[in-house]
Amino acid sequence: MSVPALSQFAVDFLVAWVAAMAITIDLVIVLAALTGRTADARRPVLLAVAATAVSRVVVAFTGIAGLSLVSVVFGLLVLLAGWHMLGGRGSTRAPGRIVDLAAAGAGAVLGAFAVSATGGAAPPVLSASLAALIGVPWLVRIIHRWAARVPDVRVGLAVVLAFLGARSVVAGLVGQSPAQDASVVALSLGTTAVVLALCAITAARIRR
């Protein structure tokens, strides 16, 4: 491979990785909320990572019909999950099989959204989309540790879930997936970063 070709591969990889990483952060938030009260969070998280990886590969090569409808339904479910957390109902423990199915379903749907953001099956694009999944279980564990020390972390997660759900519903209603508008994705990442940073600061102060 020539130097210009390598350079183009690197550029395509980086652009696609940033777009895929935005959806991966959404996946981390959803998984942290889903598995916060499970006895074994590792299984549903790994199922979700596997489901989103398979979804990203399959959808990249085959496409998906009705993505806007999927976006609306998914957004409504995420809004419901956020409402449950804000109302304190998220403190109850859900059956393991339900959590597994919900995690795998969320992973598959967000995998399809990631493909809509990155744009296809070109080798650098698909490689970047899959590389963005590295570290997902670790990030989920970090959020769980914060939640164990700081109850307000669950409120922060609920706020982010509400934002993600609303974004997904609105995007679907206008005929898009929630990852197709770069400015909206940037706003979503900024909101998530601010909430997580505040949670980290609060956790650090309590530890002292």
Side-chain angles (χ1 to χ4, degrees):
M1 187 178 291
S2 63
V3 173
L6 283 173
S7 299
Q8 187 60 47
F9 184 98
V11 170
D12 292 343
F13 181 94
L14 181 60
V15 171
W17 182 85
V18 171
M21 196 62 195
I23 302 301
T24 300
I25 295 299
D26 292 351
L27 176 64
V28 168
I29 298 300
V30 171
L31 290 178
L34 280 174
T35 62
R37 300 292 299 178
T38 56
D40 180 15
R42 183 180 178 184
R43 185 181 67 236
V45 169
L46 292 179
L47 283 173
V49 171
T52 194
V54 171
S55 176
R56 292 181 188 203
V57 173
V58 171
V59 175
F61 286 101
T62 64
I64 184 172
L67 193 57
S68 58
L69 177 60
V70 172
S71 183
V72 171
V73 173
F74 179 76
L76 291 173
L77 292 174
V78 172
L79 281 172
L80 180 61
W83 179 78
H84 271 261
M85 291 190 72
L86 280 178
R89 296 172 179 82
S91 60
T92 58
R93 180 171 294 182
R97 290 184 180 180
I98 293 179
V99 174
D100 290 346
L101 288 173
V109 171
L110 288 169
F113 292 167
V115 174
S116 73
T118 55
V125 172
L126 187 55
S127 299
S129 182
L130 296 176
L133 295 173
I134 297 173
V136 168
W138 177 78
L139 290 172
V140 173
R141 284 198 301 271
I142 290 293
I143 295 177
H144 285 169
R145 289 172 185 169
W146 288 347
R149 296 190 183 102
V150 187
D152 287 347
V153 170
R154 295 187 64 79
V155 177
L157 286 177
V159 171
V160 176
L161 284 176
F163 183 86
L164 296 180
R167 184 192 76 180
S168 186
V169 170
V170 172
L173 290 176
V174 299
Q176 297 180 340
S177 87
Q180 288 179 322
D181 191 323
S183 60
V184 174
V185 171
L187 177 61
S188 178
L189 281 175
T191 302
T192 302
V194 168
V195 171
L196 293 181
L198 291 174
C199 292
I201 292 170
T202 304
R205 286 182 176 177
I206 289 179
R207 195 186 316 174
R208 290 178 184 176

